[in-house]
Amino acid sequence: MKKVLISLAAVTAIAAAASPAAAAHNDRHGRYDHAASRQIDQRQAQIAQRIDRAFYRHHISRWEANQLRAELNRIEALEHRFERNGLSRAEYADLSNRLDGLQAHLREDRRDDDRYGYGYGRW
């Protein structure tokens, strides 16, 4: 348990230290470099860990966890489409906004006290 908390703290510290402005270096065509893509990847990994942790601690139901994971998978697929030609400012902002929305959805699900979904036996 301590190892998980330590590694989570390290990921959080790294993500907090890397501001979007620092990670978003533009080339002459207005495309972000690989640092911006890595920042998006780090946020996705962090959200995936939070979803798993919330499910295993029974803060969210299996159905809610599956819905959140499906949304994360859709965001990852969109990121891969965007990365073919490098991330533009608009694409980076779109991905970042979608991740913000997913984090908000996770917070809502953790607080809605709907741990069993639409009935018991959802675990």
Side-chain angles (χ1 to χ4, degrees):
M1 184 67 172
K2 284 184 180 182
K3 289 181 182 181
V4 171
L5 291 176
I6 290 171
S7 64
L8 181 61
V11 168
T12 304
I14 291 169
S19 70
H25 301 287
N26 292 335
D27 66 8
R28 61 189 176 110
H29 301 291
R31 299 284 179 186
Y32 287 117
D33 66 5
H34 295 292
S37 181
R38 281 193 301 271
Q39 184 181 14
I40 294 290
D41 291 340
Q42 286 175 344
R43 286 189 65 196
Q44 290 169 341
Q46 184 180 32
I47 292 170
Q49 285 179 336
R50 288 180 179 172
I51 292 169
D52 291 341
R53 188 173 62 237
F55 173 69
Y56 290 119
R57 290 182 179 174
H58 301 274
H59 293 283
I60 61 175
S61 69
R62 179 182 305 274
W63 185 85
E64 290 169 328
N66 287 339
Q67 293 300 309
L68 292 166
R69 287 182 190 121
E71 179 60 25
L72 183 59
N73 289 338
R74 285 189 290 273
I75 294 170
E76 288 174 351
L78 184 60
E79 178 196 11
H80 291 301
R81 274 195 9 229
F82 287 166
E83 285 179 338
R84 290 181 188 153
N85 297 321
L87 289 175
S88 70
R89 289 181 187 183
E91 292 167 342
Y92 179 84
D94 183 27
L95 291 171
S96 186
N97 289 336
R98 288 173 190 259
L99 290 172
D100 289 344
L102 182 58
Q103 283 181 305
H105 191 179
L106 175 58
R107 276 193 303 273
E108 290 170 14
D109 284 349
R110 288 187 72 209
R111 294 179 181 151
D112 70 2
D113 206 29
D114 185 24
R115 296 180 189 131
Y116 299 104
Y118 294 104
Y120 291 25
R122 306 273 316 193
W123 297 101

